[in-house]
Amino acid sequence: MEEITTGRIIIVGAGLGALYAALCLAPRPVLLISPDPLGSGASSAWAQGGVAAAMAQADSPEAHALDTIKAGAGTVEPRVAATVTDEARAHILALTDFGTAFDRSADGGYVLSREAAHSFARVVRVQGDQAGAEIMRALIEKLRGTPSIQVVEGVLARGLDSDGTKVTGVEVELSRPEGSAPVMLRGAGVLLAGGGSGGLYALTTNPARIRGEVIGMAAGAGALIADAEFVQFHPTAIDCGEDPAPLATEALRGAGAHLINREGARFMEEVHPLAELAPRDIVARAIFAQTQAGLRPMLDTRKALGAAVLTDYPAVAAACARNGIDPVSQPIPVAAAAHYHMGGVATDAHGRSSLAGLWVCGEAASTGLHGANRLASNGLLEALVFARRAAQDMLEECGAGGSDTVALPDLPTGETPDAALVTELRQTMTRDVGVLRDATGLRRALATIAQIEAAQPDCAQLQNMTATATLIAAAALARRESRGAHCRTDYPETRPEAARSFMTLAEARVRRSNPEDAPR
Ligand code: SIN
């Protein structure tokens, strides 16, 4: 395989964590590899609510940390919650300096949305549901004007070169159908910031590109994976047949929208004292139960927002318009959809993985912030905090580097995953590793994932996807309890002792070939 060596730090991904890390590393030279043109294909640009940060006078990082710990159902690392929430304000100010047009009040303060399980209105927002798009716009503009950052678009990372202890290179191929053979890129260090796993599920709010490949790549190189079983389902994906499903932001419920079913009943009131603003896992299970019972759950914005939904929440309004739904006069049909992976590559306080030379941030990482159920709008916050920390750590570890421009030869397109196999994988994950799980379904899922993996052994993309799917299902089978977003119908109780899970891909594969329901 052809090899290219550069003094640059290699960043894999093009979401918030990747761009922010590249800017924090500047003027240290960086090579950023994006499978798509910047601004498309990354989950961050689709984030609607915003960034959680204690910006209000009465609020505090301590209160934010407490809400984070409470929502996380026993497995949030308190030190991580304390430091991340403490740093939140500084990142909002940094994004503002980078040109992000957050909503501001007449007195210059930040307009804050309320989202589920937050004890304060705490989500720094942009035009109701435009936060992700606007933050990404501002960062891309800044990045394009930063000469130390070389961006290559249309190139996909397919694997890491590792001896099981240290990562020394990234294998890349074209993400378009043309080319000849993969190339190994060797840099001063590697930062993975390529998103989570939602696209492994048939019903998801994530862009199609985001399907566990980055986590799978790290796992394949031997990195330790944490909390893989904890996948968050968003209660209000718009149930309109689009794949991916458009999101109806939780901020709508924060603004007073209700959940009703086809009989007009507000079912959340009898489920939880916080009703529509109960923790996300509880609302998602209630929505799922309504769907399963044929009761057609819907988000009713009519009374709370009236016609303002059209102007104040443009992404939701556009999704409704595309699908013939008039939210001013009709409730919006919703379903619980895979939205965010709390699990990922285990990282320390500096974003370091268990492998030397490999840092990870954003949704691909598992830092201990989210526990078993992420607090709304803590995802972008975590990406910001750990992108900067990883950048600072890499600056110390990776030296000054060179500013050589990397010239990639004609790259090959890799073998594309067989569409029928991908469909089967996604349906399996939604059916057997979804909102509700049990041992029978999880064992069936592991067997199916193994068959899918064996059907296309030379397809790196598919192998990365099945690696992550295996980790999710194996960790879910091993966790014989229900906690946060992980709900086992055969083990409905939450065990008194709470612990995060840690697993390598090799361990997950052993469990897959011998799926006894081992206790955790
Ligand atoms: C939303 O706007 O409802 C999503 C926010 C999040 O997932 O953090």
Side-chain angles (χ1 to χ4, degrees), residues 110-202:
Y110 289 85
V111 177
L112 302 170
S113 295
R114 180 97 193 250
E115 290 188 358
H118 283 277
S119 52
F120 286 88
R122 181 185 282 144
V123 179
V124 181
R125 49 173 267 169
V126 179
Q127 291 172 50
D129 59 17
Q130 296 293 301
E134 167 59 13
I135 294 169
M136 290 295 283
R137 181 208 60 74
L139 292 190
I140 290 168
E141 195 176 308
K142 182 85 186 161
L143 185 139
R144 296 276 189 214
T146 305
S148 60
I149 304 170
Q150 183 188 353
V151 180
V152 285
E153 291 157 304
V155 169
L156 187 72
R158 50 176 272 163
L160 298 172
D161 194 24
S162 158
D163 63 1
T165 61
K166 184 171 173 28
V167 167
T168 53
V170 183
E171 200 179 316
V172 295
E173 65 189 18
L174 263 198
S175 61
R176 298 187 300 275
E178 50 210 64
S180 59
V183 167
M184 181 66 70
L185 281 175
R186 300 199 186 279
V190 176
L191 174 66
L192 296 183
S197 308
L200 285 176
Y201 286 80

Side-chain angles (χ1 to χ4, degrees), residues 110-427:
Y110 289 85
V111 177
L112 302 170
S113 295
R114 180 97 193 250
E115 290 188 358
H118 283 277
S119 52
F120 286 88
R122 181 185 282 144
V123 179
V124 181
R125 49 173 267 169
V126 179
Q127 291 172 50
D129 59 17
Q130 296 293 301
E134 167 59 13
I135 294 169
M136 290 295 283
R137 181 208 60 74
L139 292 190
I140 290 168
E141 195 176 308
K142 182 85 186 161
L143 185 139
R144 296 276 189 214
T146 305
S148 60
I149 304 170
Q150 183 188 353
V151 180
V152 285
E153 291 157 304
V155 169
L156 187 72
R158 50 176 272 163
L160 298 172
D161 194 24
S162 158
D163 63 1
T165 61
K166 184 171 173 28
V167 167
T168 53
V170 183
E171 200 179 316
V172 295
E173 65 189 18
L174 263 198
S175 61
R176 298 187 300 275
E178 50 210 64
S180 59
V183 167
M184 181 66 70
L185 281 175
R186 300 199 186 279
V190 176
L191 174 66
L192 296 183
S197 308
L200 285 176
Y201 286 80
L203 190 50
T204 180
T205 60
N206 288 192
R209 168 78 68 200
I210 306 300
R211 47 189 191 181
E213 289 178 58
V214 168
I215 296 170
M217 213 161 60
L224 190 61
I225 305 300
D227 294 344
E229 67 274 35
F230 295 136
V231 175
Q232 183 168 70
F233 298 87
H234 197 293
T236 56
I238 301 180
D239 188 15
C240 57
E242 280 187 18
D243 177 26
L247 186 66
T249 176
E250 202 162 273
L252 288 162
R253 279 175 279 139
H258 290 158
L259 291 166
I260 59 170
N261 61 22
R262 67 167 7 132
E263 291 164 1
R266 262 189 81 189
F267 50 87
M268 279 312 298
E269 285 180 317
E270 60 192 38
V271 175
H272 194 277
L274 290 172
E276 279 83 359
L277 291 178
R280 192 172 280 182
D281 58 325
I282 293 169
V283 186
R285 279 192 292 278
I287 292 276
F288 186 74
Q290 295 284 317
T291 304
Q292 295 299 96
L295 287 168
R296 186 76 165 147
M298 292 173 280
L299 180 67
D300 190 353
T301 65
R302 290 174 295 183
K303 193 154 164 232
L305 288 152
V309 70
L310 302 179
T311 48
D312 294 0
Y313 296 88
V316 175
C320 286
R322 276 198 310 274
N323 290 283
I325 302 162
D326 173 14
V328 180
S329 62
Q330 291 171 279
I332 305 166
V334 292
H339 179 65
Y340 189 92
H341 198 173
M342 277 76 75
V345 183
T347 51
D348 70 8
H350 307 286
R352 294 181 187 200
S353 74
S354 62
L355 303 177
L358 182 67
W359 287 256
V360 188
C361 70
E363 196 176 337
S366 182
T367 65
L369 177 68
H370 304 310
N373 180 44
R374 179 182 61 104
L375 188 66
S377 291
N378 267 356
L380 294 186
L381 172 61
E382 184 201 47
L384 292 164
V385 169
F386 282 90
R388 182 188 277 177
R389 291 187 190 177
Q392 285 165 345
D393 199 49
M394 294 181 96
L395 281 174
E396 283 173 28
E397 283 286 308
C398 302
S403 58
D404 52 316
T405 298
V406 178
L408 291 176
D410 280 347
L411 285 168
T413 190
E415 191 179 334
T416 309
D418 179 275
L421 293 176
V422 172
T423 300
E424 190 183 357
L425 178 62
R426 297 180 71 200
Q427 286 172 346

